[in-house]
Each structure stands twice: as structure tokens, then as C-alpha cells.
Amino acid sequence: MSRLLLACVFSLMSVLGIAGVASAQEAANAPVPAVQQTTVNPAPDVNAPQEPSPEAREETKRKLWIGGIAVLLFVLVYYRNKKRWAKWRKERAAKKG
């Protein structure tokens, strides 16, 4: 049984290996596109906004509130589980004697 499995794995690897070599050769023969030079504007944008819009500030405040509530809930669940785990270990140690 193991010889049959080994033969199947070997034949599968040889087929995939040949296909991999063929695709690598095709990729090597493919033309390579030339890199185009991009222009960079060294000057800063004159019309850049100096402070966020009121809508963006409200959205940021809302996200901060949601994040704070999520952290608070995580801390509460963490400490509750920590207390339960300590209680469970204490009871288990008392049962073993």
C-alpha cells in the first residue's frame, strides 16, 4: 500500500515539476515592460485642508467612543474569566487533596 502511495506521489510531483519548468521557461521568454519615469511635484499643495471637516471630526469621535467601549468590554470579560479560572483551579486543587 505504501509503495502505491509513494508511486502516486512521485508521479504527481514529476508532472507538476515538468509543468512548473515549462511555465518558468515561458515566463523567462516573455518581453519585460520598460519602467516609465514618473514626475514628482516637489512643492506642497497650496490648497491642502488645514483641519478636518466637522463631519470627519464627528466620525472620528464616534469611532473613538466605539473603540473605548470595545476595550472596556474586553477588560471586563478578561477579569471575569481570570476570576473564574482562579476559582476553578482552587476548587480542583481542593478536590485532589
Side-chain angles (χ1 to χ4, degrees), residues 9-91:
V9 170
F10 180 72
S11 63
L12 184 62
M13 291 301 290
S14 63
V15 168
L16 291 177
I18 293 170
V21 170
S23 64
Q25 288 174 349
E26 289 173 7
N29 295 335
V32 178
V35 177
Q36 296 178 352
Q37 183 177 1
T38 59
T39 59
V40 177
N41 186 6
D45 187 11
V46 177
N47 297 324
Q50 297 301 314
E51 64 180 56
S53 66
E55 296 85 18
R57 282 184 280 172
E58 288 299 319
E59 181 74 16
T60 302
K61 284 182 186 178
R62 189 177 68 82
K63 287 181 180 181
L64 286 172
W65 272 105
I66 291 173
I69 291 169
V71 168
L72 179 67
L73 289 174
F74 173 76
V75 168
L76 289 173
V77 169
Y78 175 80
Y79 280 112
R80 182 200 61 173
N81 287 344
K82 187 176 178 181
K83 285 174 53 179
R84 280 185 174 182
W85 178 253
K87 181 181 173 185
W88 178 80
R89 276 193 312 210
K90 192 177 196 181
E91 290 174 356

